[in-house]
């Protein structure tokens, strides 16, 4: 069934990929913030009236991927992070009250402190940074029919803001050897969200492999035969080692694993080298 979707943050790294993928079968209104992108509607998340007016249109779903995402930036500007990541949700909930529109909110593995081997949906949250605290606060507002999708580190190509691949633009890129994650391949996030968006509550997406950021970056560099040197660094040696939990692994008790393993994802990435074409992955 074709859905009417408001996609907040379609100019972002994750949102751009969702915009491309959802637009194949659904009617999507995508939004942007400061970035000028053709085909997207500008709305400032801090403009409550504008956001509310837009959300009151006849949408089946509001997929909310917009906000402040950088850990350091959220730490430096916690009030701004709160306005973008939490207050925007409050505005949306008010706008869709008494309407059938459901909200799908993208959250993060940073709602956890990393002290467990892995986390499932029912595990208690314990954020260690300002960004994670905004995500927990937003999640708590979203009860009822709405859905929270927690995602870990995402890798892959994105059509508008190609942030992950941009790390390979220079001669060297640092990557931590002491941060473990179970990253998900970006094109599979859209497929997974589409498979889960009739659910409510909290769902986790997690990639099958647990590996360090250094291993991930090295594997991507090798797969794409890039000249960039991936430089091993230690989070423990950074000026703020407490900011990043050293192991964040999301697992789900609500669905079978979704998305490809790393070799399959790297094959797919290699096949789309330099391509900005619309792509709809076949793995689910
Ligand atoms: N990337 C990851 O690895 C990852 C991991 C875990 C969770 N997540 C979650 O996934 C979601 C998307 O993350 P992302 O990496 O795609 O972030 P991103 O690339 O930084 O995109 C953020 C989006 O928010 C928009 N935005 C920022 N400030 C705005 C404002 N004041 N008004 C309106 N729009 C505004 C940006 O628009 P402009 O660019 O046009 O300004 C952009 O479209 C977030 O909820 C994040 O917490 C991401």
């Amino acid at each position: 069934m074709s859905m009417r979707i408001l996609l907040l943050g379609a100019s972002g790294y994750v949102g751009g990929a969702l915009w491309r993928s959802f637009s194949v079968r659904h009617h999507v209104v995508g939004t942007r913030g400061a970035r000028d992108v053709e085909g997207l509607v500008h709305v400032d998340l801090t403009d409550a009236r504008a956001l509310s007016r837009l959300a009151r249109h006849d949408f089946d779903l509001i997929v909310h991927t917009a906000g402040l995402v950088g850990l350091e930036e959220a730490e430096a500007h916690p009030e701004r992070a709160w306005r973008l990541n939490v207050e925007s949700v409050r505005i949306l909930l008010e706008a869709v009250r008494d309407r059938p529109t459901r909200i799908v909110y993208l959250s993060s593995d940073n709602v956890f402190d990393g002290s467990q081997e892995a986390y499932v949906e029912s595990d208690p949250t314990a954020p260690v940074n300002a960004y994670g605290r905004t995500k927990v606060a937003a999640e708590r507002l979203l009860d009822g029919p709405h859905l929270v999708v927690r995602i870990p580190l995402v890798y892959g190509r994105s059509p508008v803001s190609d942030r992950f691949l941009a790390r390979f633009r220079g001669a060297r890129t640092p990557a931590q050897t002491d941060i473990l994650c179970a990253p998900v391949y970006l094109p599979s996030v859209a497929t997974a969200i589409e498979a889960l968006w009739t659910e409510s509550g909290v769902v986790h997406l997690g990639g099958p492999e647990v590996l360090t950021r250094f291993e991930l970056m090295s594997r991507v560099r090798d797969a794409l035969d890039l000249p960039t040197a991936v430089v091993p660094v230690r989070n423990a040696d950074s000026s703020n080692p407490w900011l990043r939990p050293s192991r964040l692994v999301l697992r789900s008790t609500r669905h079978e694993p979704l998305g490809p393993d790393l070799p399959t994802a790297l094959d797919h990435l290699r096949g789309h080298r330099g391509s900005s074409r619309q792509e709809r992955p076949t793995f689910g």
Side-chain angles (χ1 to χ4, degrees):
M1 191 183 88
S2 177
M3 307 272 269
R4 289 155 303 181
I5 300 171
L6 173 62
L7 176 60
L8 299 172
S11 55
Y13 173 64
V14 176
L18 300 189
W19 182 41
R20 282 290 170 90
S21 183
F22 292 166
S23 298
V24 175
R25 286 209 290 126
H26 304 283
H27 177 71
V28 184
V29 174
T31 76
R32 62 180 178 85
R35 204 183 303 256
D36 193 6
V37 184
E38 204 186 323
L40 298 183
V41 175
H42 174 260
V43 66
D44 187 336
L45 289 182
T46 64
D47 183 342
R49 284 176 66 180
L51 182 59
S52 181
R53 202 178 319 121
L54 184 60
R56 282 204 187 94
H57 282 86
D58 198 15
F59 294 110
D60 300 306
L61 273 186
I62 297 176
V63 180
H64 188 358
T65 76
L68 195 155
V69 174
L71 296 193
E72 279 86 1
E73 198 185 345
E75 220 57 45
H77 306 286
E79 298 87 8
R80 181 160 174 77
W82 193 271
R83 278 185 86 188
L84 295 179
N85 297 354
V86 185
E87 287 307 316
S88 63
V89 173
R90 204 185 297 279
I91 294 163
L92 293 176
L93 282 168
E94 184 60 30
V96 303
R97 199 157 50 106
D98 305 326
R99 288 170 176 270
T101 310
R102 296 172 55 253
I103 298 170
V104 176
Y105 178 76
L106 259 71
S107 188
S108 163
D109 51 5
N110 271 276
V111 299
F112 299 117
D113 63 10
S115 60
Q116 283 183 211
E117 183 90 355
Y119 291 93
V120 294
E121 289 89 348
S122 55
D123 284 320
T125 55
V128 299
N129 51 48
Y131 167 72
R133 287 190 285 279
T134 66
K135 290 298 189 182
V136 170
E139 289 185 358
R140 289 191 177 145
L141 297 174
L142 287 158
D143 55 1
H146 308 294
L147 178 67
V148 169
V149 182
R150 291 186 186 138
I151 60 173
L153 179 73
V154 181
Y155 66 99
R157 202 179 300 285
S158 186
V160 183
S161 164
D162 203 11
R163 208 176 58 219
F164 181 81
L165 269 296
R167 294 177 184 168
F168 293 94
R169 275 192 201 133
R172 296 153 61 83
T173 186
Q176 296 99 337
T177 53
D178 55 351
I179 299 263
L180 281 157
C181 58
V184 294
Y185 185 48
L186 180 56
S188 70
V189 175
T191 328
I193 291 178
E194 206 169 332
L196 295 166
W197 69 25
T198 54
E199 306 283 332
S200 58
V202 176
V203 290
H204 284 182
L205 300 185
E209 295 92 353
V210 177
L211 71 176
T212 67
R213 289 186 176 213
F214 176 75
E215 288 173 282
L216 174 67
M217 296 291 283
S218 302
R219 297 276 295 272
V220 171
R221 189 263 330 271
D222 292 349
L224 295 181
D225 197 18
L226 299 170
T228 311
V230 179
V231 180
V233 295
R234 278 165 40 86
N235 182 58
D237 297 335
S238 72
S239 57
N240 47 11
W242 52 270
L243 191 58
R244 285 182 171 74
S246 56
R247 181 186 176 97
L248 285 175
V249 175
L250 295 182
R251 293 288 173 249
S252 180
T253 56
R254 298 192 58 180
H255 59 83
E256 293 301 309
L258 297 164
D261 60 15
L262 190 61
T264 310
L266 293 178
D267 271 354
H268 184 266
L269 190 59
R270 207 180 293 114
H272 289 78
R273 192 192 318 241
S275 161
S276 59
R277 272 185 47 240
Q278 185 160 306
E279 61 189 53
R280 199 169 169 81
T282 49
F283 39 76

